[in-house]
């Protein structure tokens, strides 16, 4: 039983999709998730890669540091009523503060769409762009920092470096009652478990290209 899929019943065969539906996948590793957790048969899966990647590019002069924490729906009421007291706001601000001073002007901060309008009324608004078209933002991104947002797969494909900030990961997963398939064994980026390390990793990853090891893990 794969909790990450079984808690999303619409992705189980016969749930949200009809029994004669096909699933497009990118790798045999991804196929395992649908075979084990989604109860699909191998002939239901088509390994061709995702069509959206056909047009995914990174501009040659990309220089932005894109910070995108995913949602924390377990504390939405706190975010709504007193956003600065929420772990989401504090987590976001600490990441921003961890960016070295000489790179602060490169920051682009995008909260999750569910809380974007609320967080946009705090002091973090200064780092938020007026338009949030993800494809356009990723074209100009050199380094993406997130906790575990799936946008990291889009960013890395384009050539961005990544940093995962897993300082509060276990707390969030417990509160949301989900299991993260991305883990220490298969993660294709550096991981920060404290903010001092995060600062060091930002300085490192901003100026380097993705490593061959991370590229191998991503392809798998």
């Amino acid at each position: 039983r794969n909790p990450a899929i079984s808690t999303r019943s619409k992705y189980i065969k016969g749930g949200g999709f009809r029994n004669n539906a096909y699933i497009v996948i990118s790798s045999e590793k991804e196929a395992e998730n649908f075979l084990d957790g989604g109860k699909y048969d191998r002939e239901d899966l088509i390994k061709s890669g995702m069509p959206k990647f056909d047009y995914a590019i990174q501009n040659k002069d990309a220089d932005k540091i894109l910070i995108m924490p995913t949602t924390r729906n377990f504390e939405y009421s706190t975010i709504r009523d007193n956003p600065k007291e929420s772990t989401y706001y504090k987590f976001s601000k600490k990441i921003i503060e961890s960016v070295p001073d000489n790179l602060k002007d490169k920051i682009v901060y995008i909260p999750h769409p569910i809380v974007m309008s609320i967080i946009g009324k705090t002091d973090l608004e200064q780092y938020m762009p007026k338009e949030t078209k993800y494809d356009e933002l990723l074209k100009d991104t050199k380094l993406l920092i997130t906790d575990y947002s799936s946008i990291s797969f889009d960013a890395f494909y384009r050539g961005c470096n990544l940093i995962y900030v897993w300082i509060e990961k276990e707390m969030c997963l417990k509160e949301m009652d989900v299991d993260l398939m991305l883990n220490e064994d298969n993660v294709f980026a550096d991981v920060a478990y404290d903010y001092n390390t995060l600062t060091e990793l930002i300085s490192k990853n901003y100026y380097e290209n993705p490593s061959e090891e991370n590229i191998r893990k991503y392809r798998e």
Side-chain angles (χ1 to χ4, degrees):
R1 179 176 180 271
N2 189 326
I5 289 185
S6 61
T7 55
R8 298 173 173 86
S9 59
K10 67 179 180 179
Y11 293 109
I12 297 176
K13 186 172 182 177
F17 299 113
R18 295 179 180 177
N19 286 328
N20 61 350
Y22 290 94
I23 303 294
V24 176
I25 59 171
S26 299
S27 69
E28 290 303 318
K29 178 66 70 174
E30 186 177 13
E32 293 174 7
N33 296 322
F34 288 97
L35 295 173
D36 298 337
K39 307 305 178 186
Y40 288 88
D41 298 315
R42 185 61 186 82
E43 54 266 30
D44 297 327
L45 310 178
I46 302 173
K47 187 170 72 172
S48 66
M50 300 299 174
K52 69 175 181 177
F53 287 145
D54 292 348
Y55 300 97
I57 65 169
Q58 180 191 50
N59 292 329
K60 292 183 178 180
D61 60 349
D63 65 346
K64 301 304 181 186
I65 298 176
L66 184 59
I67 300 173
M68 293 188 66
T70 193
T71 184
R72 298 190 179 188
N73 52 16
F74 58 88
E75 65 166 357
Y76 180 75
S77 59
T78 302
I79 296 174
R80 179 195 60 206
D81 298 334
N82 198 351
K84 288 190 175 182
E85 292 302 314
S86 68
T87 65
Y88 190 92
Y89 169 86
K90 294 175 182 177
F91 179 69
S92 299
K93 186 161 187 175
K94 286 179 180 177
I95 292 177
I96 291 171
E97 291 173 345
S98 297
V99 176
D101 290 341
N102 65 309
L103 295 175
K104 282 285 199 299
D105 63 329
K106 306 297 183 183
I107 294 174
V108 177
Y109 169 62
I110 307 292
H112 191 275
I114 294 176
V115 299
M116 187 178 297
S117 61
I118 301 171
I119 299 296
K121 296 176 182 178
T122 71
D123 56 318
L124 300 187
E125 179 190 15
Q126 61 184 302
Y127 302 104
M128 296 170 59
K130 293 181 179 179
E131 295 188 10
T132 55
K133 295 180 179 179
Y134 295 135
D135 183 66
E136 293 302 315
L137 289 170
L138 288 174
K139 287 179 182 178
D140 290 324
T141 298
K142 185 177 181 66
L143 172 64
L144 173 71
I145 304 174
T146 185
D147 40 12
Y148 39 83
S149 172
S150 60
I151 201 169
S152 57
F153 288 86
D154 298 58
F156 194 89
Y157 179 87
R158 297 166 186 259
C160 300
N161 244 342
L162 299 176
I163 300 175
Y164 288 102
V165 185
W166 284 356
I167 298 171
E168 300 178 0
K169 182 188 72 167
E170 297 305 322
M171 179 273 290
C172 292
L173 296 180
K174 181 178 179 181
E175 291 290 341
M176 293 187 291
D177 192 27
V178 297
D179 180 36
L180 187 65
M181 295 180 191
L182 201 64
N183 54 53
E184 282 82 358
D185 294 328
N186 61 26
V187 67
F188 47 93
D190 282 336
V191 178
Y193 294 97
D194 61 73
Y195 294 107
N196 288 333
T197 301
L198 175 58
T199 299
E200 297 172 3
L201 290 177
I202 293 172
S203 295
K204 168 193 170 187
N205 282 274
Y206 186 81
Y207 296 105
E208 294 182 0
N209 294 321
S211 70
E212 291 299 321
E213 175 66 9
N214 285 336
I215 292 173
R216 181 192 66 78
K217 287 183 176 181
Y218 179 84
R219 286 175 175 167
E220 183 178 316

